[in-house]
Amino acid sequence: MKKLIAILLFSILIVGSTSNVQAAGFKDVSEDHYAYEAILWAEEYDIVNGFADGTFKPNATITEQQLAKLLAIFYELESPIEELKKQTPSTIWSDEFYNQLASYGVPLNGYFDNRLRAATVKRGVVAQAITHLASGKKGLDSSIQFLLDYYISSGQNPQYEDRNLQKFYGVSNNMTRAQVVTMLYRMDERNFYEISGDAQAIHDNANKLSLNTRAKNAQNQLDRSMQQTTPSKSAWEGVYTYYYKWGKGTNDFNRRDAIISNATSNSFSIALTANDGTATGKVNGTATITSSNKALMNKSSNGNRCVVELERLTNNALKVTEVDCRAERSEGTNYSGTLKQQ
């Protein structure tokens, strides 16, 4: 991607214009940081950006979709005519990058599921993805050895050197922003910016395979220990209802409804409604999961104070306890109740 002359020119600029280099740096990456030069290089070539507060956050972990963006930009991948047909159909910012990577058969997990894309990427996946683009199809061990042979990686656990290749490299460890950028920097230094013959052949697609088929083949290329399955539906998600008719009049009833969706390991979206005859209320918000069966919402999506405690019971029921949501309902009712999952 970057010709040798461009690298030499960049080096001259660094030597001859120190003030510019300092201006381009990040306040949390000092000159003695191991990834300092790599981060400056990545910023110079628009491969990676910092944050609005002037930081780079070198130790922050990187998700698979963030890796996908870096690889697509570094290798200047072409976009296919087709688009992936995902299991999670909602459009997100990484769609185009995954379309590109699928076209070249890059081994990754998240082609069809936005949740897998948002998961932190493991070092073993990074090894296979980079090596596929730089040197061709390889298994996990061969990918690691490629990175070690060319000093693109030096491993993480020296106690396993010459004893256990995967443990030495740290295949199951998370990858940080600084580590990924350093790998790409070393790839560029060693002239591994050209796309491998294997990856180019998949992109040329002489066999006329669909983009989804190429993506599935790419997933299967990952070592089994690195493959992730689609997350199962959260136990929190569902529709919960309580209804009690206490008199013969039209308004002689109490009803509570809760709809929980978009659950992750940390939070979920919730919509609550309450109707006690003539007093009603409706609130939407995000609840934070505080334990295996408890969660807490502090404010509504409207920005109003609305504190609701949620507890998932063993009989497929949801206990809702409102603490203060007066801004989101009529006087005379609240959201409290035990609701049965439908």
Side-chain angles (χ1 to χ4, degrees):
M1 180 185 69
K2 303 294 181 291
K3 302 302 181 184
L4 180 59
I5 188 170
I7 299 174
L8 293 174
L9 286 172
F10 179 54
S11 299
I12 292 171
L13 287 172
I14 291 176
V15 173
S17 184
T18 303
S19 60
N20 289 338
V21 171
Q22 295 302 318
F26 301 99
K27 61 185 181 182
D28 59 344
V29 182
S30 62
E31 290 188 24
D32 58 358
H33 191 283
Y34 79 89
Y36 178 75
E37 291 184 3
I39 292 169
L40 289 181
W41 164 85
E43 183 193 26
E44 172 72 14
Y45 288 110
D46 294 325
I47 293 172
V48 69
N49 298 314
F51 296 88
D53 62 357
T55 62
F56 181 77
K57 295 181 174 52
N59 297 323
T61 56
I62 190 169
T63 64
E64 190 186 90
Q65 61 187 344
Q66 290 169 336
L67 172 70
K69 178 180 180 180
L70 294 181
L71 293 177
I73 293 173
F74 180 82
Y75 280 101
E76 298 179 344
L77 301 182
E78 296 178 355
S79 296
I81 297 174
E82 285 185 87
E83 294 183 354
L84 289 168
K85 298 176 179 62
K86 300 186 296 181
Q87 295 170 347
T88 50
S90 58
T91 300
I92 60 172
W93 63 267
S94 60
D95 284 342
E96 182 58 26
F97 301 120
Y98 274 93
N99 290 340
Q100 293 170 343
L101 292 160
S103 177
Y104 290 85
V106 180
L108 292 171
N109 279 299
Y111 284 113
F112 306 110
D113 196 300
N114 293 344
R115 293 166 292 179
L116 294 181
R117 295 182 182 189
T120 304
V121 70
K122 302 300 182 184
R123 286 173 58 84
V125 174
V126 176
Q128 286 199 258
I130 287 180
T131 304
H132 174 88
L133 283 166
S135 185
K137 290 183 178 180
K138 287 181 172 62
L140 180 57
D141 285 355
S142 297
S143 297
I144 295 169
Q145 196 62 58
F146 167 80
L147 297 179
L148 296 176
D149 288 345
Y150 289 95
Y151 301 100
I152 296 162
S153 174
S154 56
Q156 281 198 322
N157 304 302
Q159 68 271 28
Y160 292 108
E161 189 172 9
D162 299 325
R163 294 174 51 203
N164 187 311
L165 182 64
Q166 293 189 16
K167 288 184 177 181
F168 171 65
Y169 173 75
V171 293
S172 298
N173 295 341
N174 295 332
M175 204 79 182
T176 68
R177 286 166 55 82
Q179 289 168 350
V180 172
V181 167
T182 298
M183 279 191 174
L184 294 179
Y185 177 60
R186 291 173 180 171
M187 296 282 288
D188 195 63
E189 280 191 317
R190 291 150 180 75
N191 299 327
F192 285 113
Y193 43 73
E194 299 290 342
I195 296 170
S196 70
D198 285 343
Q200 187 62 51
I202 295 171
H203 178 66
D204 293 341
N205 198 22
N207 295 326
K208 307 297 181 184
L209 299 177
S210 70
L211 191 63
N212 269 40
T213 297
R214 283 180 280 172
K216 289 176 182 175
N217 291 341
Q219 284 181 325
N220 291 332
Q221 189 180 323
L222 281 172
D223 188 85
R224 285 188 176 276
S225 64
M226 293 292 103
Q227 292 180 18
Q228 293 182 335
T229 57
T230 300
S232 59
K233 184 178 179 181
S234 169
W236 282 98
E237 291 194 11
V239 177
Y240 302 82
T241 298
Y242 166 81
Y243 180 78
Y244 175 65
K245 180 70 172 173
W246 52 267
K248 295 182 179 181
T250 304
N251 297 324
D252 297 341
F253 70 92
N254 304 106
R255 180 167 184 143
R256 304 287 183 273
D257 292 282
I259 301 174
I260 294 178
S261 60
N262 301 321
T264 68
S265 59
N266 300 314
S267 64
F268 54 75
S269 300
I270 182 165
L272 289 168
T273 57
N275 192 330
D276 288 338
T278 58
T280 62
K282 182 176 182 179
V283 63
N284 296 302
T286 299
T288 300
I289 298 173
T290 57
S291 71
S292 61
N293 64 336
K294 291 185 178 182
L296 178 67
M297 184 178 79
N298 287 310
K299 66 178 181 179
S300 73
S301 57
N302 295 327
N304 295 319
R305 174 175 169 81
C306 186
V307 180
V308 177
E309 298 173 350
L310 303 155
E311 182 178 3
R312 188 163 48 83
L313 305 178
T314 56
N315 56 345
N316 293 324
L318 181 71
K319 182 180 179 181
V320 179
T321 305
E322 177 196 324
V323 178
D324 180 9
C325 287
R326 287 171 291 181
E328 292 285 348
R329 58 172 173 77
S330 304
E331 291 296 329
T333 190
N334 59 52
Y335 298 112
S336 299
T338 299
L339 290 60
K340 189 71 174 178
Q341 188 171 24
Q342 303 304 296

